[in-house]
Amino acid sequence: MTQHDKDKTRGRYLRMAAKLERRKENEARRPARSDDDRERERPEDSVDDWSEEDVRRAPPRDRRAKRGKQKKKRERETVLAHVVGVARGLVRLRLDDATDDDPDRDVPLGKLVLDGPLAIGDELDVEPRPDGPPRIVGCRPRRSALSRPDPGNKHKELLVAANVDVGVIVAAAASPPLRPGLIDRYLIALERGGVAPLLCINKLDLCTSSEDRRALDEALAPYVELERTTELSIVRVSAASGEGIEELRTRLAGQTAVFVGHSGVGKSSTLNALAGRTLADAGDVREFDGRGRHTTTASTMYRLEGAIRVIDTAGIRVFGLYAMTAVELRASYPGIAELGAQCRFSDCAHVHEDGCAVRAAVDGGAFSAARYAIYARMLADCEDD
């Protein structure tokens, strides 16, 4: 330590000593206080005078009050609402306890953070507000979903409907003709999404002769076989005459269904027949090419008697499968998945392998050659991707 540091330290000690000496002198100048003086200086409402009741009734501290307000805010009542329409930045909601006379509510999404876009049928927790639209609190986990590739980008998934129990594939007995390829794609998509399939054959009134009925039976034979071995159900109806509508209503009672199918097959007409009134516009098939017109341009959810909810979707001519792999196709293609368990090789693609039970069933007439050709084309698309 240098001499300069020593002088600096010595000066600091001298200043501290002088300060302590001044404090002692000030204490000595103060007059001594007796016990009586201390008693007189004590406040009238001293802590020693408080009773247990006074302590119990003491007001809460500010921090405790703030915590109580936060807890009360967290416990605000929420109710269930169903998404019945979707637009950019807006959703149309129907409260679960709403009556037929209560209007649907258009609610902005605001700053709500979601894992992905909402779909018709999504279930939301909302907080009712008397002075405005309900506030969306969160989205409940989906029980099931039906999706397809986005037409503008096949690598992007487009949700068709969510939280549905039954997928009603509406097809026409005639005009437009039955399309097994489209039906099979819907069956696969419903299987992947956890939705029970129901094949609804409409326009029975157009099968006026025994030959027409026989041709329809032949076309439906593969699906009648699937009805015996899988969860598939088949209902034949005529929206024009009302035939089979009551059976369809019984199958859908208490469930949420999504109506899908080719343009012009009569989805909206079948919905109107179920409701007993006109809910959706219905169109006819164009005469010059036998194709259906798009009368439903946006998906909408309707509520019918018997606790039935129906999501009516726009008709399409092409339905793709989102991110389908060859392994998933073999495991989910109706009929082939069951036969594949009997193949010699567990990874049999059912194309050229020895001991293939699927190709043996096709050669023996036990499996539809037309449906096998559809499978082969779909498998090629998967492998090309």
Side-chain angles (χ1 to χ4, degrees), residues 276-288:
R277 63 187 189 279
T278 301
L279 294 177
D281 294 334
D284 298 325
V285 174
R286 296 185 306 210
E287 294 182 0
F288 72 91

Side-chain angles (χ1 to χ4, degrees), residues 140-182:
R140 297 188 179 184
R142 295 183 178 120
R143 303 187 307 273
S144 61
L146 175 64
S147 67
R148 57 177 295 200
D150 191 312
N153 181 4
K154 68 176 183 178
H155 300 292
K156 180 181 178 181
E157 184 179 23
L158 180 64
L159 284 173
V160 178
N163 298 313
V164 293
D165 304 303
V166 183
V168 181
I169 306 169
V170 183
S175 184
L178 202 69
R179 287 178 167 81
L182 183 61

